[in-house]
Amino acid sequence: MSFKVNSSQQISFNDSVFSLTAREKKALDNSWAKIFADEIFPNIDEERFSVLYSSKASRPNAPVNVIIGALIIKELFDYSDDEIVENLMLDLHLQYALHTTSFEEQPISDKTLSRFRSRCYNYETTHGIDLYHDCVKDLSSKIAKLMNLSGRIKRMDSMMIESNIRFLSRMELIYTCISKLAIYFDKNYPNKIPDDLKHYTDSNDYNRIFYHQLNDNMEQIIQALLSDSDKLLELCGTDYEEVTEYQLFLRCLSDQTVVENGKRRLRTKEDGTMNSTALQNPSDPDATYRNKAGKLHRGYVANLEETVDKNGSVVTDYQYDKNIHTDSQFLQESLSQMDRSEEEIVLITDGGYAGQDNFALAKEKNIKLITTALIGKEAPDALADFTFNDDGTILLRCAAGHEPVRQSYTKTTRQCKVSFNCNHCVGCPYQGQCRPKIDGWNATFITSKNASNRAKSQRYMQSEEFSNYAKLRNGVETVPANIRKNYRLDKLPRGKQRGKFFFGSKIAALNFRKTVIRGSRFIPKPGWKEFPASEQSCMTGRFLSAPLPCRKIAAIFMRLLPDRRGRPCGAWRSAAGRTSP
């Protein structure tokens, strides 16, 4: 399949828009589809995705900008792949938004979206470049310009994302990995699996082992599982190292068991604690374990960067990784990819992003990093007035203005051991904070530039300017809550790569919704469709473009209309904010 740019950007003579009445055309122009068609769709860069297709002459691809636009609208209305394809055929709003009103046949089918995602996954795996992330980031920047955001103030926050997997005990985890490998052999090499292992291929075997046994038999079951694991290891040898089921099986045994005196047993605390990268469920090998704020998480973490000013806010970048990825690591990766800004940018974060290396890296990019909290021990206030050289290896003068008699620098700890004349320290107003050790004529203590910078940060946190920035940062806390509530974040596909792709679509949908709200256009919330999409697409188009009082009156009447099963339409009950009698 070869790449071809979508040239159908202009309205043709047979366009379906020409058949609309003036009233219908006005309603269409006042809907969300107008903003999407004028501001979002033309800014989708198709050329970026040309590398996904063949350079040889062949059947052309489905328009990439239509595919990406459909992926965003899909998240906007919480459609499935089949529903967005069906609604695109029947709903003029979607056709107008995606510039397909002049198409005799809509250009995407039931497999178009999944095949496009697969191409993006394969390209990222091979080349390490996430094309879709770059596309969403570019669109977000253009939306920020559309909303006249200056880009001088940004705020950052992270959010935990639970993987859509079931918690498995150690026994269940070992059993599941054995079962998956046994099923693989039964499907591909049925004559190779021993008879005493074939029970793992039975769908009812799990219930028989875990729910139809007495608790007194648990030790026997564990020993049987470990014995069967050794049999499978001997059976496989080194012939199946490329098989996913075998790789997960080996990973599980490595995490959960040890071999002692030629016999396999479960790992205990004495053998060393299992790290957070241990396999949680073979259904999602990428998911990791983390304990944050006293709550257990299995899955991933996303980092959000939001640009904000008096005109509004837009999520201009996002990152997605395993949940063992720290806030500090996210910040360092984000800063390292930025070019140095000509104007100073203020980046407001919470205490998890603090760190002297992060402050130094931000300064190199002309970014003022403000953290609303600091992690670690509080530094004495007097250290804020200490003066060091640029690299922090030499203390030039203390808070009282005295120079040290001698000093030494320890590279591993980044600390300076300094000695002053005891006459300078005894009776000094800062002696209680510096706490020097008086030995004869010398007063010695250990300090560092990091401690001095921390003291400066603590002093700055008492200022009115910092208080205003801290209040501004609180607004970013609403973004994770918004995504969780309105964009079904708990239903992300399993796997880091797939989850990141769908998360990017949700970010694009969130940003577009902000654009629509800014333009005072009505757009329905996800979750309105409670009856077949074919019925909804025919009925909702003009209803959603009507003024609010008209929608409320219409909703009361629409409640009484039955769906295909003869029941009142639940979607219109939601719209009216009432329930059926």
Side-chain angles (χ1 to χ4, degrees), residues 397-461:
R397 63 187 62 86
C398 68
H402 302 299
E403 297 181 3
V405 177
R406 55 181 173 273
Q407 59 182 300
S408 61
Y409 177 75
T410 304
K411 188 175 182 180
T412 55
T413 60
R414 300 182 181 181
Q415 292 179 323
C416 293
K417 184 177 181 180
V418 294
S419 297
F420 288 86
N421 189 314
C422 65
N423 295 328
H424 292 157
C425 293
V426 175
C428 177
Y430 305 111
Q431 182 179 359
Q433 298 183 54
C434 299
R435 301 177 64 182
K437 182 180 178 181
I438 307 297
D439 183 15
W441 294 98
N442 295 323
T444 306
F445 62 95
I446 297 176
T447 187
S448 67
K449 187 174 183 179
N450 286 348
S452 177
N453 290 337
R454 184 181 183 86
K456 292 176 182 178
S457 298
Q458 292 172 185
R459 186 177 292 180
Y460 175 70
M461 291 172 68

Side-chain angles (χ1 to χ4, degrees), residues 559-578:
R559 302 168 47 223
L560 306 177
L561 295 179
D563 61 12
R564 289 180 178 176
R565 299 182 181 179
R567 301 173 303 181
C569 290
W572 307 116
R573 294 200 303 271
S574 299
R578 301 175 60 182

Side-chain angles (χ1 to χ4, degrees), residues 109-325:
S109 65
D110 55 343
K111 298 294 184 182
T112 303
L113 301 182
S114 60
R115 288 170 178 167
F116 178 78
R117 287 192 291 260
S118 179
R119 290 175 184 270
C120 291
Y121 300 156
N122 294 335
Y123 186 83
E124 182 182 5
T125 301
T126 304
H127 301 280
I129 300 175
D130 188 351
L131 298 175
Y132 193 67
H133 168 268
D134 296 341
C135 176
V136 172
K137 183 179 178 181
D138 186 47
L139 277 176
S140 300
S141 299
K142 292 175 180 177
I143 290 176
K145 292 180 180 179
L146 175 66
M147 296 177 65
N148 295 321
L149 303 183
S150 64
R152 294 188 59 192
I153 301 179
K154 299 175 184 286
R155 51 194 184 189
M156 187 176 286
D157 195 22
S158 62
M159 59 185 298
M160 305 300 292
I161 299 176
E162 299 299 318
S163 177
N164 189 20
I165 56 177
R166 186 171 70 91
F167 169 73
L168 298 178
S169 66
R170 300 177 71 182
M171 285 177 55
E172 290 176 309
L173 182 59
I174 295 173
Y175 174 88
T176 304
C177 290
I178 294 175
S179 178
K180 286 182 175 293
L181 184 57
I183 292 173
Y184 168 81
F185 276 110
D186 185 62
K187 182 179 179 180
N188 298 279
Y189 308 99
N191 298 326
K192 192 167 184 178
I193 184 172
D195 292 338
D196 58 343
L197 296 179
K198 286 187 177 180
H199 67 91
Y200 287 105
T201 63
D202 185 359
S203 58
N204 294 320
D205 185 60
Y206 178 89
N207 291 336
R208 283 197 297 266
I209 290 181
F210 289 98
Y211 299 128
H212 298 172
Q213 299 285 346
L214 298 176
N215 290 336
D216 297 339
N217 298 333
M218 288 298 104
E219 184 62 31
Q220 297 178 6
I221 295 175
I222 292 175
Q223 294 304 321
L225 290 175
L226 297 179
S227 176
D228 292 341
S229 298
D230 289 331
K231 292 179 182 178
L232 276 176
L233 282 175
E234 184 178 355
L235 175 66
C236 295
T238 58
D239 299 331
Y240 302 94
E241 293 180 351
E242 302 299 323
V243 177
T244 302
E245 289 80 0
Y246 180 68
Q247 294 173 352
L248 293 175
F249 173 67
L250 288 181
R251 179 181 171 187
C252 175
L253 292 183
S254 175
D255 292 338
Q256 304 292 339
T257 68
V258 293
V259 178
E260 186 177 60
N261 299 326
K263 186 177 180 180
R264 188 175 298 275
R265 61 173 177 81
L266 290 179
R267 186 183 293 272
T268 63
K269 290 183 179 180
E270 289 73 18
D271 301 314
T273 56
M274 291 175 289
N275 58 39
S276 57
T277 60
L279 182 67
Q280 303 297 314
N281 191 311
S283 299
D284 191 354
D286 295 332
T288 51
Y289 169 86
R290 182 176 179 182
N291 187 335
K292 183 177 181 180
K295 186 177 180 180
L296 307 182
H297 300 274
R298 290 177 176 84
Y300 305 91
V301 60
N303 191 61
L304 304 172
E305 179 188 290
E306 187 180 33
T307 299
V308 59
D309 69 8
K310 62 181 180 180
N311 294 324
S313 62
V314 167
V315 179
T316 47
D317 196 7
Y318 67 95
Q319 296 158 282
Y320 192 94
D321 214 317
K322 299 177 182 180
N323 66 7
I324 58 175
H325 215 69

